[in-house]
Amino acid sequence: MDVGELLSFKPLSTPKRYQPGDLDEEEEDYDKHKKMKKIHKMKASELERLEREKKEKQEEEARVKKEEEQDMIQKLVESSEPKENDILDETTLKRMLLLFEKRALRNQEMRIKFPESPDKFMESELELHEAVQELHAIATVPDLYPLMVQLNAIPSLLELLSHENTDISVAVVDLLQELTDVDILNESTEGAEALVEALLNQQVISLLLHNLQRMDENVKEEADGVHNTLAIIENLVELKPHLVSEIGKQGLLQWLLKRLKSKLPAEQNKLYATEILSILLQNNVENKTLLGELGGIDILLQQLAQYKRHDPATAEECEIMENLFDALCCSLMISTNKELFLKGEGLQLMNLMLREKKLSRNGSLKVVNYALIGPDGKDNCNKFVDILGLRTIFPLFMKTPKKNRKKMLTAEEHEEHVISIIASMLRNCRGTQRSRLLSKFSENDHEKVDRLLELHFKYMEKVDSIDAELERKNEEKEMDEDEIYLKRLDGGLFTLQLVDYIMLEICAGSPPSVKQRVTLILNQRGASLKTIRHIMREYAGNLGDDGDAEWKELEQQHILQLVDKF
């Protein structure tokens, strides 16, 4: 830059602040627009905030109002429900049942309206469940049962047994179990009669069994439902024993057998199933026959086979085993089941159990007795000899176990079963089997004859003692002849009769040395042959109805012939 340029240089002056009047018209309009835009933006934001606050306030007011309405409804419902300290009378019962009916109808409507939306009908379901629970109060006043029946509550309750939600059906089962509790029903004969008749008229057994089929015992609540269902059936049978046949036919027997085979965790239910099975089979020929037709004999044998060499692990399992043995004994009272037992190799299994010193030995002894007894036990008697059953039964005859584990059989019961088995074989066996049986009494210097006489004197003392006691009681109060005879049988006469029957049989069929041994011991103990003859004549005159009339007559003649020979 030269000197001239330096001298002519002038710096730019700082611009002044513009006054409104200094701007031209265009610039002023732009600034005003910008300012208005900003103001509008602020106003819009403020309006939006005010609108939001207003909406939130309205929502809060609506929520509070809804809560107040719900509280009011709840208070109204509670006012219509009986309080804990309220006395349950007819008015309270009617109100309670009306509430239950309303909730059941409401739930049904909601389920129909929203079948695919459980969240829509869940609230009504919870209310229905609660209403069912409240009905438990009725069980405390069985006198009101007739009114409950009159108000048609039973059909409504039973309808819920098929409810899609098993929690509802389980709740109803729990309620029915409490309502039908025998102790409660005994408090009111009229109430019991009304309730049971109403239940039976509405096919309660069929509905319960249908509901039973869908229960999953892996779920605790449903396992409880199964237990309560069986309890209801037991209660009904106790009140109406004639229902046993109908219940068996309707499918319970089949379900029980299926349940026995199932390996489920609810052992308590398996125990209850075996108890109900025993109840159904007691004194009911139809159910015993049906059990055989359903393959029940094989199922019972399969379930018992596990106890052949192993004792039950728990107290419940021990009871299950005892009940299974009892059920098998009951079923063997008809000839068709004895045949099935023989074909199913039941005798072989029982014989193995008798050889093992396990808890199952007591039950198997009873089963063998039932399988061999009577004229229809002939094939089983011969089979028992063929499978070397004599080697098993005579050691038990010679020595009664002193310590019978768990007291499942007393010494007297043990002796009765063993003696009955031997008597049945002597009655039914023929040919080589009979020869093998009789030869046992000549073995080892007639030791089995000595044991037989020992048992004779033991039970003779028991019978003399019971006779003296009955004579004293008869002086105070005259007793019926049949009643006296039954008490004498229970007191030891039955076992004594079997012992003396065996004595007559072996004296008539064995070598002379056997009778000589019997006579010698009787003379040594100062006993009379007349006493034995009297006992056997009494036995012949009171033979039971086991078998037909022809068999009974032949057996009486046979016993009297043995008495004459003796």
Side-chain angles (χ1 to χ4, degrees):
M1 183 179 292
D2 58 10
V3 178
E5 286 177 353
L6 286 171
L7 290 173
S8 64
F9 174 75
K10 289 182 181 180
L12 292 170
S13 59
T14 306
K16 306 189 285 185
R17 182 175 296 178
Y18 289 110
Q19 296 298 322
D22 296 338
L23 295 170
D24 57 23
E25 194 175 340
E26 188 179 341
E27 287 174 338
E28 192 174 346
D29 287 344
Y30 175 77
D31 192 47
K32 193 182 288 184
H33 175 73
K34 192 175 179 182
K35 192 173 182 181
M36 289 299 293
K37 189 178 179 182
K38 187 174 182 181
I39 290 168
H40 282 307
K41 194 174 181 181
M42 287 174 64
K43 282 184 178 179
S45 176
E46 182 67 17
L47 286 169
E48 190 179 340
R49 183 181 66 78
L50 290 170
E51 189 68 32
R52 189 169 60 248
E53 286 179 358
K54 185 180 177 182
K55 191 176 180 181
E56 286 176 359
K57 189 177 180 181
Q58 287 175 344
E59 286 177 354
E60 179 66 20
E61 286 175 355
R63 187 180 62 78
V64 171
K65 189 177 180 182
K66 188 178 180 181
E67 284 180 358
E68 287 175 354
E69 287 176 354
Q70 285 179 341
D71 289 342
M72 192 180 293
I73 292 167
Q74 184 66 28
K75 285 175 183 176
L76 287 170
V77 170
E78 285 175 357
S79 67
S80 69
E81 293 172 359
K83 304 294 185 294
E84 287 183 8
N85 53 1
D86 277 354
I87 297 171
L88 187 62
D89 54 15
E90 291 189 9
T91 308
T92 314
L93 176 63
K94 287 176 181 177
R95 197 161 58 230
M96 190 184 290
L97 291 174
L98 180 62
L99 180 67
F100 162 70
E101 293 281 2
K102 283 181 178 177
R103 289 184 175 179
L105 185 61
R106 169 73 175 157
N107 177 242
Q108 190 178 17
E109 288 173 351
M110 294 300 286
R111 271 191 167 270
I112 292 169
K113 194 173 180 181
F114 306 105
E116 304 299 328
S117 305
D119 54 312
K120 298 281 179 69
F121 58 73
M122 190 53 66
E123 188 178 347
S124 67
E125 215 123 287
L126 291 170
E127 289 175 351
L128 176 58
H129 189 277
E130 186 183 340
V132 173
Q133 294 298 329
E134 286 161 3
L135 294 179
H136 281 266
I138 304 171
T140 60
V141 192
D143 289 330
L144 291 176
Y145 283 4
L147 178 60
M148 182 175 70
V149 171
Q150 190 180 334
L151 293 169
N152 285 324
I154 301 303
S156 301
L157 273 173
L158 296 183
E159 189 179 338
L160 293 179
L161 285 175
S162 56
H163 197 281
E164 290 86 345
N165 186 347
T166 52
D167 287 344
I168 300 292
S169 64
V170 165
V172 173
V173 166
D174 185 30
L175 172 63
L176 289 173
Q177 188 275 324
E178 193 168 345
L179 291 173
T180 59
D181 186 275
V182 175
D183 293 333
I184 292 172
L185 292 179
N186 286 335
E187 294 175 17
S188 172
T189 308
E190 185 186 352
E193 193 66 30
L195 177 65
V196 172
E197 285 302 317
L199 288 171
L200 295 176
N201 288 338
Q202 294 295 324
Q203 306 297 319
V204 66
I205 302 296
S206 178
L207 292 169
L208 285 171
L209 292 176
H210 179 72
N211 187 46
L212 206 55
Q213 304 289 345
R214 63 183 184 138
M215 293 289 181
D216 180 6
E217 290 187 59
N218 291 304
V219 180
K220 186 187 180 301
E221 290 74 16
E222 294 188 30
D224 292 341
V226 170
H227 194 275
N228 286 329
T229 300
L230 295 176
I232 295 167
I233 291 168
E234 185 182 14
N235 293 339
L236 292 174
V237 167
E238 191 167 339
L239 291 162
K240 304 279 185 182
H242 68 273
L243 290 173
V244 170
S245 298
E246 188 183 338
I247 289 171
K249 286 176 189 173
Q250 288 193 14
L252 181 60
L253 208 54
Q254 197 166 0
W255 183 88
L256 290 171
L257 293 173
K258 184 181 175 183
R259 179 62 184 83
L260 291 183
K261 293 192 292 182
S262 304
K263 293 182 179 178
L264 292 168
E267 194 174 57
Q268 197 67 33
N269 283 352
K270 185 173 183 178
L271 171 58
Y272 209 171
T274 58
E275 289 174 4
I276 298 296
L277 181 63
S278 296
I279 290 169
L280 293 183
L281 294 174
Q282 281 173 11
N283 307 318
N284 191 277
V285 176
E286 291 179 20
N287 283 340
K288 290 170 188 172
T289 306
L290 183 58
L291 179 88
E293 292 171 356
L294 293 171
I297 302 296
D298 282 341
I299 291 171
L300 291 174
L301 290 173
Q302 287 163 13
Q303 291 300 306
L304 286 167
Q306 61 188 304
Y307 306 116
K308 183 170 56 180
R309 291 192 174 89
H310 303 285
D311 280 339
T314 63
E316 286 84 4
E317 197 179 356
C318 188
E319 283 188 60
I320 288 170
M321 182 187 73
E322 289 179 48
N323 291 336
L324 289 171
F325 275 123
D326 287 342
L328 189 54
C329 288
C330 284
S331 63
L332 289 173
M333 289 174 137
I334 61 171
S335 57
T336 52
N337 285 344
K338 284 183 179 176
E339 292 171 15
L340 292 169
F341 178 77
L342 182 62
K343 289 176 184 175
E345 298 188 348
L347 277 174
Q348 287 89 327
L349 176 63
M350 296 302 123
N351 193 32
L352 288 170
M353 287 180 170
L354 286 171
R355 290 178 184 177
E356 299 286 340
K357 293 182 179 179
K358 301 292 179 185
L359 286 174
S360 59
R361 184 169 71 171
N362 299 297
S364 59
L365 188 64
K366 282 170 60 180
V367 171
V368 172
N369 183 17
Y370 277 85
L372 271 55
I373 204 165
D376 49 4
K378 182 178 177 181
D379 292 338
N380 280 316
C381 285
N382 289 317
K383 185 67 175 179
F384 192 66
V385 176
D386 291 340
I387 62 171
L388 307 179
L390 299 181
R391 293 184 186 180
T392 309
I393 202 68
F394 274 104
L396 297 174
F397 169 74
M398 290 301 294
K399 187 178 180 182
T400 303
K402 289 182 181 177
K403 291 183 180 179
N404 207 316
R405 295 166 72 192
K406 303 261 179 145
K407 300 290 181 187
M408 286 172 71
L409 282 180
T410 63
E412 286 74 18
E413 287 171 334
H414 175 93
E415 288 167 356
E416 180 188 319
H417 289 307
V418 171
I419 291 163
S420 179
I421 289 167
I422 295 170
S424 294
M425 287 191 289
L426 283 167
R427 185 178 282 122
N428 288 322
C429 287
R430 295 291 178 267
T432 56
Q433 287 91 350
R434 183 176 179 81
S435 301
R436 287 164 65 183
L437 177 60
L438 289 170
S439 66
K440 285 287 179 182
F441 290 92
S442 303
E443 290 177 352
N444 301 326
D445 193 26
H446 304 90
E447 63 176 5
K448 294 174 183 66
V449 176
D450 296 347
R451 171 63 173 160
L452 193 66
L453 269 297
E454 181 187 329
L455 290 168
H456 166 79
F457 288 116
K458 173 184 175 179
Y459 284 95
M460 194 74 224
E461 286 178 18
K462 284 181 175 290
V463 172
D464 288 342
S465 174
I466 199 82
D467 282 346
E469 185 184 335
L470 287 170
E471 194 174 338
R472 283 196 304 274
K473 285 183 179 179
N474 206 24
E475 288 174 2
E476 299 170 8
K477 180 186 175 183
E478 193 170 339
M479 297 171 71
D480 183 68
E481 282 186 21
D482 291 339
E483 187 183 351
I484 293 171
Y485 185 67
L486 287 171
K487 287 189 178 295
R488 291 180 70 222
L489 285 174
D490 290 338
L493 177 61
F494 179 66
T495 307
L496 178 63
Q497 288 172 342
L498 293 176
V499 167
D500 289 356
Y501 173 78
I502 293 170
M503 199 185 305
L504 265 61
E505 284 279 11
I506 62 172
C507 286
S510 298
S513 59
V514 170
K515 187 173 183 180
Q516 289 168 8
R517 187 64 165 245
V518 169
T519 308
L520 176 65
I521 296 170
L522 287 172
N523 290 336
Q524 287 175 345
R525 297 287 296 265
S528 169
L529 294 174
K530 288 181 181 178
T531 307
I532 296 173
R533 291 193 189 104
H534 173 71
I535 290 167
M536 290 316 296
R537 285 196 180 97
E538 186 181 34
Y539 176 54
N542 289 281
L543 278 178
D545 297 326
D546 190 9
D548 55 24
E550 186 182 350
W551 174 85
K552 184 178 177 181
E553 189 179 340
L554 288 170
E555 189 63 22
Q556 283 176 334
Q557 290 175 4
H558 176 64
I559 292 168
L560 293 173
Q561 285 172 3
L562 290 174
V563 170
D564 293 340
K565 288 181 184 177
F566 190 72

